[in-house]
Amino acid sequence: MGGNLVGAGGRLFAEVKPGPDETAFQVNNTSDVYYNSPYYLRHKDQLQPVPRPRVNPPRMRLADVLDAKTISAIGAAKKIVFHAVGDTGAAKVDRTHPAGQALAHEARVVDAMAAAVQGGGPDAPAFLFHLGDVVYHFGEGQYYYDQFYEPFRAYDRPIFAIPGNHDGMVFGDAPDRPKVGTLTAFLRNFCAASPGTSPDAGGLVRSAMTQPGVYFTLDAPFVSIIGLYSNVLDGPGVISSQGGHYPLGDGQVAFLRSELARLKPQRTARERAVILAVHHPPASADSKHGGTTGLGSDIDAACQSAGLWPDVVLSGHAHLYQRFAHHVGGRDIPYVVAGSGGFAATPPHRHAAPGTTIGGYTLVSAPIVDFGYLTVTVDMTGSKQKLSVSFVSPGRADEHDSVVVNL
Ligand SMILES: [Fe+2]
């Protein structure tokens, strides 16, 4: 039987007959004016407020979004597969990276993910968990069509997202008031109260996502993903006040701690894996962004206090693939960076060889500087429950890496 998925409550995900890839933007978006705007120039080094979740605690189920038949097929297979990637947004970078090339880079990744979900079955990814930077450079609603809805128009699965710094960045003509509040378009498209059509979708059918907040837990069969929002700076990523150093509340870390504590019995019983997703990587060997020690310490402290470490930590932001190991709690936890979704691949710094240690994180495999995405599989069949994370670069069979975690 053919036809596209219809999710819970009549949600739609993909076009029935997707047209060819765009080769030019509908709305040009160099964002130069915004970078030079009075508000941005004055506030670019400051954090922005974190929107209060719509629901408390901010938690949702995959079954709230996908249809009952797909959910029960996952249950019967005792296995779930999903995609993850960050930094897919396409924008004109500079004269040497024109719009057509940016769109082609994003399309290369997204078209491959769309092809992977076609046909369904237990090996088809059930959803995409986007690791942030959906829309460059200032997350404006007018660019959601070119950078999100159009590229993902054939991806016939739900898309969840945590915001990246570019999704939350703001600008404005007044020195102390942004023209549009931070994350306005992100909230409209990913944290809608109901799954209607987004005004930013340009007539495409994908229903708005109904996340309870910009940080939230997605409870899926066999896996829970705790997504955090690490704010608007190019660096560092920040999720708390860090002991009063930043003008932010500590609600997100409290949320992380309580979600880990909630999930601990199910994880201990090997009923589900627990994944943490945050846009800024706690460790990175790229030449531009580097890692974020305060963020890593916040995560460590929450895990320590809850008595549960995630099985893997996924991040974006640095525009390449990297895999670190963080040795804690008697385990080597993979910290995977996949900001490789299509925006401006960035090389690692010269000394980033496997074995290099950055803070408490050891680079395990050589970074891959190419566009690509992650496929995460949680396999509960048999007695050896396991989680695997694989990176593939479409069309480059040699650029591949994967790691398996025994649950
Ligand atoms: Fe970013």
Side-chain angles (χ1 to χ4, degrees):
M1 198 191 91
N4 282 358
L5 279 189
V6 178
R11 290 159 195 256
L12 297 176
F13 309 113
E15 300 304 300
V16 174
K17 287 198 172 133
D21 288 335
E22 265 192 328
T23 53
F25 291 118
Q26 304 285 315
V27 185
N28 199 357
N29 67 335
T30 58
S31 298
D32 285 352
V33 179
Y34 305 156
Y35 277 113
N36 291 313
S37 71
Y39 182 89
Y40 182 72
L41 289 174
R42 184 183 284 202
H43 298 279
K44 63 183 176 185
D45 298 326
Q46 294 169 6
L47 299 173
Q48 290 289 331
V50 178
R52 192 187 293 271
R54 270 192 303 112
V55 179
N56 224 331
R59 204 184 282 155
M60 74 187 299
R61 300 177 313 142
L62 186 62
D64 299 335
V65 175
L66 270 179
D67 59 292
K69 194 174 152 208
T70 305
I71 293 289
S72 65
I74 293 167
K78 296 186 93 177
K79 180 171 155 182
I80 187 165
V81 184
F82 67 93
H83 283 137
V85 71
D87 309 77
T88 57
K92 208 190 265 184
V93 180
D94 53 38
R95 237 169 284 137
T96 57
H97 298 84
Q101 187 190 68
L103 285 163
H105 286 160
E106 178 174 12
R108 191 174 129 200
V109 172
V110 179
D111 291 353
M113 289 195 291
V117 307
Q118 286 301 320
D123 291 320
F127 60 92
L128 165 66
F129 198 99
H130 197 294
L131 302 171
D133 284 355
V134 181
V135 171
Y136 288 87
H137 291 274
F138 288 76
E140 308 101 301
Q142 60 176 322
Y143 302 129
Y144 267 71
Y145 176 79
D146 279 329
Q147 298 192 39
F148 178 66
Y149 286 100
E150 196 279 340
F152 285 95
R153 73 203 176 286
Y155 190 80
D156 193 20
R157 291 293 183 276
I159 301 174
F160 304 88
I162 44 171
N165 52 309
H166 286 283
D167 298 309
M169 268 166 64
V170 281
F171 64 94
D173 297 333
D176 283 314
R177 192 167 29 84
K179 188 168 170 199
V180 180
T182 184
L183 293 168
T184 298
F186 187 93
L187 292 168
R188 187 161 67 226
N189 289 285
F190 286 100
C191 306
S194 63
T197 307
S198 167
D200 303 318
L204 296 176
V205 299
R206 178 178 294 281
S207 304
M209 182 45 73
T210 51
Q211 292 169 199
V214 298
Y215 63 92
F216 69 108
T217 302
L218 175 65
D219 285 329
F222 313 122
V223 64
S224 289
I225 304 165
I226 305 170
L228 301 176
Y229 171 49
S230 47
N231 225 289
V232 301
L233 305 180
D234 194 35
V238 181
I239 57 169
S240 77
S241 71
Q242 293 186 19
H245 183 71
Y246 289 109
L248 273 191
D250 292 325
Q252 263 198 100
V253 204
F255 164 74
L256 171 59
R257 200 167 46 231
S258 70
E259 286 296 89
L260 290 168
R262 172 180 73 92
L263 294 165
K264 187 179 176 183
Q266 294 174 65
R267 174 62 185 85
T268 308
R270 296 189 169 138
E271 290 167 5
R272 67 176 51 240
V274 176
I275 294 176
L276 184 58
V278 61
H279 177 69
H280 293 78
S284 177
D286 71 307
S287 52
K288 184 160 177 268
H289 294 100
T292 294
T293 49
L295 168 65
S297 305
D298 276 345
I299 292 170
D300 285 358
C303 297
Q304 197 86 54
S305 147
L308 181 72
W309 297 86
D311 295 299
V312 61
V313 177
L314 304 177
S315 297
H317 192 55
H319 301 150
L320 72 167
Y321 170 81
Q322 304 169 81
R323 177 160 62 89
F324 290 85
H326 187 34
H327 190 78
V328 279
R331 292 157 60 194
D332 271 331
I333 297 170
Y335 277 55
V336 176
V337 184
S340 50
F343 190 84
T346 309
H349 52 67
R350 281 184 298 129
H351 306 297
T356 305
T357 293
I358 299 173
Y361 310 87
T362 304
L363 187 64
V364 178
S365 55
I368 299 174
V369 189
D370 208 337
F371 303 115
Y373 60 89
L374 303 176
T375 303
V376 183
T377 304
V378 179
D379 185 346
M380 296 301 201
T381 56
S383 59
K384 294 222 171 91
Q385 298 95 333
K386 58 183 186 288
L387 175 156
S388 68
V389 182
S390 298
F391 173 83
V392 287
S393 183
R396 307 271 172 95
D398 53 324
E399 295 192 337
H400 174 266
D401 182 58
S402 64
V403 60
V404 176
V405 177
N406 290 315
L407 299 175

